[in-house]
Amino acid sequence: NYVSGFIILMDRSVKIGDVVQIDKRSGMITQLTSRYIVLKGGDGTEALIPNEALITSTVVNQSYSDRLIRIALPIQVAYGSSLDLVQELLLEAAHSEPRVVADPAPAAFLKGFGDNGIDFELGVWIQDPENGQLPVRSAINLKLWLLFQRHDIEIPYPQREVRVTRAAADAKPSF
């Protein structure tokens, strides 16, 4: 761990303030020592991760060369919705969130046609990942909910159609 600590300090692959993911843990590096790093998660917990783990594991550094990160928000709307209006509302919701940056601009994509509705993805970029992604997701989703209600855009729920044929209706159950 000490040797790994010196390697980390010399190669500067991570630094205090970086937002990283190591194995199944993610958060912001708040302290670097010769033996471990302190990784503060979005829920406030702090993990002491041995430096050896940084050398032997894949480290996803979301702020290594650029603090911008992309957040993808999936949304499904009912068949019959105006697709142009849906895209317009998705972008309006994105632009209403102050943490979303203008460049790169938010983008709305029609991803496909699902069992229950039409699948879209709203992609937005933020430059302060240390403040977490959940507040941005929540604010945009709340805005979308209000915009969709105002414009009668329905978010579908799973539905199944059951057909009973005459032969099935006349059949006697066998126990």
Side-chain angles (χ1 to χ4, degrees):
N1 283 331
Y2 289 113
V3 172
S4 298
F6 290 120
I7 292 171
I8 292 165
L9 291 172
M10 288 175 36
D11 75 2
R12 296 184 177 105
S13 56
V14 295
K15 60 188 177 307
I16 292 176
D18 280 353
V19 178
V20 299
Q21 181 175 348
I22 305 164
D23 291 328
K24 294 180 181 177
R25 294 202 171 270
S26 61
M28 184 173 62
I29 296 175
T30 59
Q31 188 177 355
L32 286 165
T33 73
S34 59
R35 194 173 64 81
Y36 60 85
I37 66 162
V38 178
L39 187 65
K40 185 167 187 168
D43 60 358
T45 59
E46 295 179 315
L48 304 178
I49 299 179
N51 289 331
E52 181 182 5
L54 274 73
I55 301 297
T56 59
S57 301
T58 299
V59 176
V60 177
N61 190 336
Q62 296 177 340
S63 53
Y64 181 68
S65 62
D66 190 344
R67 299 203 58 79
L68 286 174
I69 65 165
R70 182 178 186 274
I71 300 174
L73 295 112
I75 189 83
Q76 190 176 71
V77 297
Y79 284 105
S81 299
S82 167
L83 302 185
D84 291 334
L85 178 59
V86 169
Q87 285 191 304
E88 182 183 313
L89 297 176
L90 288 170
L91 294 175
E92 182 180 333
H95 290 295
S96 74
E97 170 53 41
R99 287 183 55 201
V100 171
V101 298
D103 185 29
F109 302 98
L110 191 156
K111 286 188 67 172
F113 303 98
D115 290 343
N116 303 305
I118 301 171
D119 298 319
F120 281 88
E121 180 177 288
L122 174 62
V124 299
W125 292 84
I126 62 171
Q127 63 185 357
D128 57 351
E130 66 278 3
N131 292 326
Q133 296 180 24
L134 190 56
V136 174
R137 289 178 184 277
S138 178
I140 291 173
N141 283 331
L142 286 169
K143 181 70 173 185
L144 280 173
W145 178 257
L146 295 173
L147 288 170
F148 283 3
Q149 284 184 330
R150 189 176 310 143
H151 293 278
D152 295 321
I153 303 288
E154 182 183 339
I155 296 174
Y157 53 91
Q159 300 178 44
R160 298 293 176 254
E161 185 174 304
V162 178
R163 295 176 189 226
V164 178
T165 63
R166 180 154 182 90
D170 291 341
K172 297 189 187 237
S174 60
F175 293 100

